[in-house]
Amino acid sequence: MSARLRTSILLVLVSIVASVSVSADPSAIPPDPSAMHAELKETEGLAGAIAAAEKAAGGGEAVQAQYYSATNQVFVTVARADGMFSKVTISMLDGDIVTIDEQGRFPGDPVSGDWTETESGLKYYDITVGTGESPAGPSAQVEVHYTGWLNDGTKFDSSVDRGESITFALNRVIAGWTEGVGSMKVGGKRKLIIPASIGYGERGTPGGPIPPNATLIFDVELISLP
């Protein structure tokens, strides 16, 4: 990295343009990478580090750039075509790539492309389309494995971690699950993005892990119809 580039970056004490994590708003959806990239392009002083990070990530568009004077490093997040993000750390001492870590726009299995949105506000991606039957109706029993996160990536529950699937009637859970799992086929896996209106609403789970008005993200696998 050139001395001129290093000097220009050092002039930026802290430059935080955008982030792949959501703000403190629990109802927000992780932001769209293309909008973040457009905003980042308007920032001056970090162009060299951004270009280096995009190259190190194997292509894609940067959506975040931060300089920290305490560590003399630049942190750049690059959105890739496969739906994943590469978080690249660059040393300002020698211009070397220090680390490259990966994460998705959403927690859990990576997804790309457009989601499907229903009239209720439910959004989902089919990670794997099942080949079996679908539940017969809202009172049908289903067996699933699932993991749930808040929009900031905080995991609050997981049958996968416990190593034990769960069985329940679709009309005994939140409406987002009734709808989202109810249209799956056995053998399928789906990422559900559930707004509070069909989740836990304005109250969340008092005393529990889900705050009021929380958007919830689940990876759900439909194992069987007992």
Side-chain angles (χ1 to χ4, degrees):
M1 185 176 292
S2 69
R4 180 179 180 183
L5 171 60
R6 184 177 295 108
T7 300
S8 67
I9 295 178
L10 288 173
L11 292 175
V12 185
L13 294 180
V14 180
S15 178
I16 303 178
V17 181
S19 175
V20 291
S21 61
V22 181
S23 68
D25 179 2
S27 68
I29 293 175
D32 178 63
S34 59
M36 295 164 67
H37 178 68
E39 184 178 354
L40 182 61
K41 287 175 64 177
E42 299 177 1
T43 302
E44 299 179 356
L46 296 176
I50 289 170
E54 290 175 341
K55 181 178 180 180
E61 295 183 333
V63 295
Q64 176 194 29
Q66 301 171 272
Y67 168 68
Y68 287 104
S69 58
T71 60
N72 209 19
Q73 292 176 329
V74 176
F75 302 89
V76 182
T77 302
V78 179
R80 304 193 323 235
D82 61 1
M84 294 295 289
F85 291 82
S86 292
K87 302 190 75 173
V88 184
T89 304
I90 302 173
S91 169
M92 295 312 300
L93 297 176
D94 50 23
D96 288 347
I97 304 297
V98 179
T99 60
I100 301 179
D101 299 315
E102 293 188 347
Q103 69 180 65
R105 176 183 179 187
F106 301 98
D109 287 359
V111 292
S112 60
D114 297 328
W115 57 51
T116 298
E117 184 169 2
T118 70
E119 291 185 1
S120 69
L122 172 71
K123 301 174 179 63
Y124 68 84
Y125 292 88
D126 279 314
I127 299 167
T128 302
V129 177
T131 57
E133 296 182 359
S134 293
S139 62
Q141 292 278 324
V142 296
E143 178 190 9
V144 306
H145 257 314
Y146 71 94
T147 302
W149 299 267
L150 303 180
N151 64 359
D152 64 359
T154 300
K155 183 191 297 185
F156 60 83
D157 194 12
S158 176
S159 69
V160 177
D161 290 350
R162 292 191 295 272
E164 184 176 353
S165 62
I166 66 167
T167 299
F168 56 88
L170 282 173
N171 59 2
R172 306 291 289 183
V173 291
I174 58 174
W177 269 52
T178 304
E179 179 182 3
V181 179
S183 60
M184 294 176 66
K185 295 181 178 181
V186 171
K189 189 172 186 180
R190 181 172 283 184
K191 187 178 298 292
L192 305 177
I193 304 165
I194 301 177
S197 59
I198 52 173
Y200 288 91
E202 296 180 355
R203 294 191 64 197
T205 54
I210 299 173
N213 300 310
T215 292
L216 306 177
I217 300 167
F218 290 93
D219 282 356
V220 182
E221 179 184 3
L222 180 55
I223 299 171
S224 71
L225 305 176

